[in-house]
Amino acid sequence: MPININPHLGNMSSFSVAMLKTPPCLDGAKPMRHLRVPSEETQHWLEFCRNKGWLMPGAGVLTLEEGLKGIPIIDSAPNDGDEFWQGNSTFIAQGLTRGPEHWSDRLSKEILNQITHLLPKSHEIQGDVLIVKLDDEIMEFSQQIAQAMLEQFPSIRLVCADKGVVGNFRVRNLLPIASRDGNMTTRTKIKENNKSIWTDPAKAYFSARLSNERIQNLTSAIDLRSELNRKLRLCDPYAGVGPGIIPLILEHDLISHCYAGDLNPDAFELLELNLHDLISKNKLTEIDLVLKNQDARKWKNKQENINKIDFLLVNLPHDSINHLPELLPLLAKGSITKIRGWAIIERSELKNSENQIKNILNTSNADVKSIHCSEVKGFSSSKIFMRFETKQIIP
Ligand SMILES: C[S@@+](CC[C@H](N)C(=O)[O-])C[C@H]1O[C@@H](n2cnc3c(N)ncnc32)[C@H](O)[C@@H]1O
C-alpha cells in the first residue's frame, strides 16, 4: 500500500511522493536528502551510492511523479550539481526510515541495562492482541515494554501478559497491560486461510499452529465424500471457536449436517457467533446446523444424534482417547466413517496408542479399514502431539 507523504521541498518545485515499498515498521518521517533519478536507473544509482558510502542506511526509495525515483542519501554526499551526479539533481524530502529491528531497542538505555537478561524471547499474536510471558522480575516495567511493543507493531491494539494456563478449559490467564486506543477487550478477529474468526485468547482455546491440520481435515473429508458419493454429516464436539469446521462447511457441497459444540460457555458463544456469521454471509442455508454448549460425551444421549455421523473430529488432546468410546455411538452404521483426532502422548507410546484406539473400535465391533497415528509436533521433552486418523465401518 503506497503511503503518501508531504515532502519538505526546500527550494525545489512541487511533486507528490509515495514509498516504493512499505517496510515492516516505519518510524516517523524525517527530512533527508535524496537524489532524483530516472526509474530505470534506480538499481545503478543505489549501487553507486552504496559503493561510495553515500546511501542513507535503512531509508526507502521514494517513488516520484513522471517515472522518477528518489534515492535517500546522507548529508555528507556531494552537493547538488556535483559532477558525480551526472546531471541528476538532489532534493530534500521527508524520508521514511525503518524503525529499530527489535521492539526492545525502543526501551530507554537505563531500562534495557537493568532487564536485558530477562527480556522475553518470543511472543504470540492473535488478531490485534499480542501475548507475552513476562518474568515477575520485569513486571514493574510492563508498561514500558507494552508501549515499546505497540510502537513496534502497528497492527497490535492490546498487549497482554500471559500468566499461564488455568481451569478445566485450559484457557490462558491474560493480564491486559496497555491498549493503543483504550479498548482493553481481549476479544479479537483472527484470519485463517482468508477467513475471519472471532476468538478471545483469555476465554477460549485457539491455536494458529494447527491450521495445517485443519487443511488436512478438508482433504480427508473430500476423500470421504468421494467414497460415499454424497455430502457428509460432520460432528466436532470439541469445536472451540470453530476453526476446525469452518473450512469444511465452506467447501461447496461437502457437508449436509454439522453438529458442533463445546463445554466452555465462552468458547461456545464465539462458536455461535462465528458460525451464524459465516452461514448468513455465505448463504449456507442448506446445511443443517446443530450447536450445543455441552460435554461431548452427552451428544450420544439424544436418540436423534445416534448413528448419524460420517466424519468425526476429536480434539481434546489430553483426553481424546479416553473419550473415544463415548463418541463412537454417534458414527453412522453400515458405511465408511472417519475419525480424525489429536492426542498428547509419551513419545514412546505411538504404537501403543494405535493399538489402544484399535481396541476401542473393536469393542464397537467396527470393521477397521485403517488406523494411522503420526506425530504432528513435539509437546515436551518426552511427549508428542499426535494425530490419529481411522477409517471403519460400524456394523
Ligand atoms: C484443544 S481445544 C480444541 C478447540 C478447537 N477444536 C480448535 O481446534 O481450536 C479443546 C476444546 O474442548 C473443549 N472441551 C473441554 N472439555 C470438553 C468436554 N468434556 N466436552 C466438550 N468440550 C470440551 C475446550 O473448551 C476447548 O475449546
Side-chain angles (χ1 to χ4, degrees):
M1 183 178 63
I3 296 174
N4 289 313
I5 59 172
N6 297 317
H8 175 274
L9 298 174
N11 58 0
M12 310 301 298
S13 58
S14 170
F15 54 84
S16 69
V17 183
M19 274 292 291
L20 183 61
K21 275 186 188 165
T22 309
C25 181
L26 297 171
D27 252 0
K30 298 182 198 148
M32 68 175 69
R33 296 184 67 204
H34 291 82
L35 177 68
R36 183 186 285 108
V37 300
S39 191
E40 61 278 12
E41 295 176 17
T42 309
Q43 278 315 314
H44 162 75
W45 284 106
L46 271 173
E47 263 164 55
F48 178 81
C49 292
R50 188 178 294 118
N51 290 339
K52 293 283 187 194
W54 297 335
L55 199 60
M56 176 64 89
V61 174
L62 303 181
T63 295
L64 313 177
E65 281 182 346
E66 296 165 13
L68 295 170
K69 298 282 185 185
I71 309 277
I73 53 175
I74 57 174
D75 286 347
S76 56
N79 291 333
D80 193 36
D82 193 289
E83 62 183 20
F84 273 119
W85 299 137
Q86 297 182 17
N88 295 309
S89 55
T90 66
F91 63 97
I92 293 175
Q94 305 282 23
L96 281 170
T97 54
R98 275 179 207 280
E101 286 295 312
H102 195 266
W103 62 265
S104 59
D105 297 335
R106 295 176 184 270
L107 294 171
S108 72
K109 287 222 164 45
E110 299 76 63
I111 295 183
L112 206 48
N113 283 341
Q114 284 182 68
I115 64 172
T116 303
H117 58 297
L118 295 169
L119 283 179
K121 297 219 168 21
S122 61
H123 58 261
E124 183 184 336
I125 292 177
Q126 282 195 20
D128 59 2
V129 177
L130 185 150
I131 300 162
V132 62
K133 285 205 168 89
L134 294 180
D135 217 282
D136 283 347
E137 286 171 71
I138 57 172
M139 273 313 278
E140 64 177 295
F141 301 107
S142 61
Q143 276 302 327
Q144 289 91 333
I145 290 172
Q147 289 304 334
M149 288 176 148
L150 287 173
E151 278 170 36
Q152 183 76 5
F153 305 112
S155 63
I156 294 304
R157 171 183 53 83
L158 181 69
V159 176
C160 294
D162 183 348
K163 297 291 184 188
V165 171
V166 288
N168 289 342
F169 303 126
R170 308 188 62 76
V171 169
R172 274 185 281 208
N173 179 12
L174 293 186
L175 176 69
I177 305 173
S179 161
R180 186 180 299 283
D181 59 3
N183 178 357
M184 300 298 260
T185 180
T186 44
R187 184 178 283 199
T188 184
K189 237 179 193 181
I190 57 108
K191 267 225 152 153
E192 184 167 279
N193 303 320
N194 247 347
K195 294 286 160 300
S196 292
I197 306 177
W198 282 109
T199 186
D200 187 333
K203 294 184 172 170
Y205 172 92
F206 172 82
S207 170
R209 281 185 221 127
L210 297 175
S211 71
N212 260 350
E213 292 301 305
R214 303 194 263 268
I215 292 171
Q216 289 172 26
N217 287 346
L218 181 60
T219 317
S220 178
I222 290 173
D223 286 349
L224 182 59
R225 173 182 59 188
S226 303
E227 283 187 64
L228 295 176
N229 207 16
R230 60 167 170 77
K231 292 190 205 177
L232 306 179
R233 288 182 292 238
L234 159 72
C235 182
D236 187 357
Y238 312 92
V241 302
I245 45 185
I246 289 172
L248 300 173
I249 62 176
L250 280 175
E251 178 71 18
H252 185 61
D253 276 350
L254 180 63
I255 302 297
S256 59
H257 296 67
C258 173
Y259 300 79
D262 200 282
L263 187 55
N264 173 356
D266 293 318
F268 185 75
E269 186 186 329
L270 291 158
L271 175 70
E272 282 192 305
L273 181 67
N274 284 326
L275 290 198
H276 288 144
D277 237 30
L278 196 79
I279 287 197
S280 65
K281 276 196 191 122
N282 296 278
K283 304 194 173 58
L284 300 172
T285 44
E286 75 283 9
I287 296 182
D288 191 346
L289 179 69
V290 180
L291 300 178
K292 292 253 185 259
N293 177 203
Q294 70 176 4
D295 189 308
R297 293 163 291 187
K298 289 203 170 146
W299 282 90
K300 66 172 187 327
N301 297 350
K302 282 246 154 73
Q303 189 57 38
E304 68 260 29
N305 298 333
I306 291 189
N307 300 137
K308 276 273 169 62
I309 301 304
D310 306 305
F311 195 74
L312 174 66
L313 298 175
V314 186
N315 191 354
L316 188 64
H318 290 276
D319 272 315
S320 291
I321 299 178
N322 290 339
H323 280 210
L324 203 49
E326 302 212 49
L327 304 174
L328 293 185
L330 302 176
L331 292 179
K333 280 187 169 176
S335 58
I336 294 272
T337 58
K338 264 189 181 179
I339 305 173
R340 270 174 68 83
W342 294 269
I344 292 162
I345 56 162
E346 291 295 325
R347 188 177 295 280
S348 54
E349 292 289 301
L350 205 59
K351 197 69 209 164
N352 277 352
S353 301
E354 200 167 297
N355 287 335
Q356 204 183 342
I357 294 167
K358 197 184 268 172
N359 289 339
I360 293 170
L361 289 168
N362 284 341
T363 55
S364 293
N365 297 321
D367 174 8
V368 179
K369 301 293 182 193
S370 63
I371 299 188
H372 297 292
C373 291
S374 17
E375 175 172 344
V376 175
K377 56 179 181 151
F379 182 75
S380 66
S381 54
S382 63
K383 292 188 171 176
I384 57 167
F385 185 81
M386 73 96 163
R387 173 205 326 112
F388 56 93
E389 175 156 340
T390 72
K391 216 165 130 177
Q392 57 281 312
I393 298 179
I394 307 285

